[in-house]
Structure formats: structure tokens, C-alpha cells
Amino acid sequence: MPPAQAADTTPMDPNPGPAGNFAWKGFNWEKRFWGGAPQYNKAFAAANVSNPDANGHITMNLTNPTGEAPVGAEFQSTRKGFGYGTYSTTVEKNLQTLQKEVVWGCLFTYDPLAEPGYNEIDLCEASAWGGGAAYGQSWPVTQGHGYWFDATKPPGEGNNTTVFDVTPDPITTHRMVWEPGKITFETFAGEGFAGSLLKRTVLEGATVPVPAQEQIHFNLWVTGAAAGILPV
């Protein structure tokens, strides 16, 4: 299948948002230092997010200084209200190596006041979601293209998501085109859009989020207590 073409329905507003901890890709960003969901023990640290390096790369770390209390990482745009358009990001990580309790919250939109789905659109979230009895100990790391339309309902009921296996590719590139009533997701092997198209998902219908005051987030967190969580 050929890759989807960008189908922006409105010009991207160049507003970078208020000043934050660093500037990146034309926008301002804030590192999370406050506690709370979704990390099981509510622990996040700004130090777990690096500033962009000379190549424009940001490194996120999951730390566990005591061996029993993992500390997550998250950063978000200071700008609110991105709306329809094309979003993309490149990730350098073999996602098959994630421990089963770790969640890589790749680029997602979120507006805590936009109920019931919070305008959450997940471009490339990946995890084994704890494995264990709920899934079987061999439950693999999988990835999802999707969005929430009712956050009061559990996964599979309140969201519209296509799940697929991750690959051992050390670099992947992800893109979504958000239009009225339609979202097209794509995941490619390698940097950019010239590599193999690993997965395309098209989701349509009345439950597709409409623009509100969503911010862009990236996060790395843990689903539940696990003394053996290693730094990521």
C-alpha cells in the first residue's frame, strides 16, 4: 500500500505556545515533575527527560533508584489546541525489548477538560500491559493506533484501537492525519516515510475526536508494582 498523503484541512498555526523548559520542533515543551496518573506509584521526574541534543534528539528515561519504586518520564507541549492536521514522530528504540510492565506513550494528544474521551489520540502507544494472568506470561509487546471516545469505560469498550505486534526495527517513524470524522495512522520501519509500511489503520465515524484544547504528550511509565523494573 502506498503511504497516505498529508491531508491538512487547516493551515498549522505557527504559535509555539508559552515558554517552557525547552524549545523543540518549533514548539515549547514542559517536562513533567508533578505526580499522578497513569504511573502506578504516581512518580515522575523532570530529570528523566533530556533537552534536545545537537541532532535534535530527546532521550526519555525510566529510573528506579531504590530498585523498588520506578520513576516515569513525560513531557508535553505548552501550546493547547493543535486541531486537524498531520502529526509525525520518529522513535529510536527496539520496542520488543520493553519489560512487560512498561508503557511507551508515544506521541498522543490529550485535553483533561474534553470529556468523556479527553481528546486522547494515541499514535504509537506500546506495551505488554503487565502480562501475567490477565494475558498469559508470554503476552508480547504490542502497539496501538487509536483514540478514546469514553474514558469512563475500560479498554476495548471506551476506545477505538487497532493493536498490532511490534517489530525489532531499531528505528520507526509514525504519522497520523486527523481530519473531520477520520484519522489515518501509519507506522514505517526506519527514519522517514521511505521504509516499509508496517501498519496502516483508518478509523472513521462520529466518535472521532473534534479539536478542543489538546496538548501533545510523550511519556514512559509503569503499569504496576514491579521490584525488578530496570532503567529504560
Side-chain angles (χ1 to χ4, degrees), residues 15 68 73 97 103 122 158 161 173 181 185 217-218 220:
N15 170 28
E68 298 180 352
T97 65
V103 182
D122 297 295
T161 301
T173 299
F185 300 87
H217 294 244
F218 295 81
L220 186 65

Side-chain angles (χ1 to χ4, degrees), residues 42-60:
K42 306 185 187 311
F44 287 87
N48 285 354
V49 178
S50 77
N51 288 335
D53 64 18
N55 295 314
H57 299 162
I58 292 173
T59 299
M60 301 177 68

Side-chain angles (χ1 to χ4, degrees), residues 90-101:
T90 298
V91 177
E92 185 174 346
K93 175 69 177 179
N94 177 355
L95 297 176
Q96 287 187 336
T97 65
L98 287 180
Q99 289 180 258
K100 66 182 183 180
E101 297 88 1

Side-chain angles (χ1 to χ4, degrees), residues 83-156:
Y84 297 128
T86 298
Y87 299 68
S88 66
T89 190
T90 298
V91 177
E92 185 174 346
K93 175 69 177 179
N94 177 355
L95 297 176
Q96 287 187 336
T97 65
L98 287 180
Q99 289 180 258
K100 66 182 183 180
E101 297 88 1
V102 174
V103 182
W104 163 229
C106 187
L107 189 155
F108 65 99
T109 62
Y110 193 82
D111 176 359
L113 300 181
E115 296 181 354
Y118 304 124
N119 260 39
E120 181 176 347
I121 304 174
D122 297 295
L123 173 52
C124 42
E125 187 174 55
S127 183
W129 299 106
Y135 299 107
Q137 289 294 341
S138 62
W139 184 260
V141 177
T142 57
Q143 192 159 284
H145 291 157
Y147 64 87
W148 284 86
F149 56 85
D150 189 343
T152 67
K153 296 180 180 180

Side-chain angles (χ1 to χ4, degrees), residues 61 110 127 164 202 212:
N61 294 298
Y110 193 82
S127 183
F164 56 100
V202 180

Side-chain angles (χ1 to χ4, degrees), residues 1 38 54 98 112 130 155 165 229-230:
M1 295 182 293
L98 287 180
D165 290 340
I229 287 288
L230 300 174

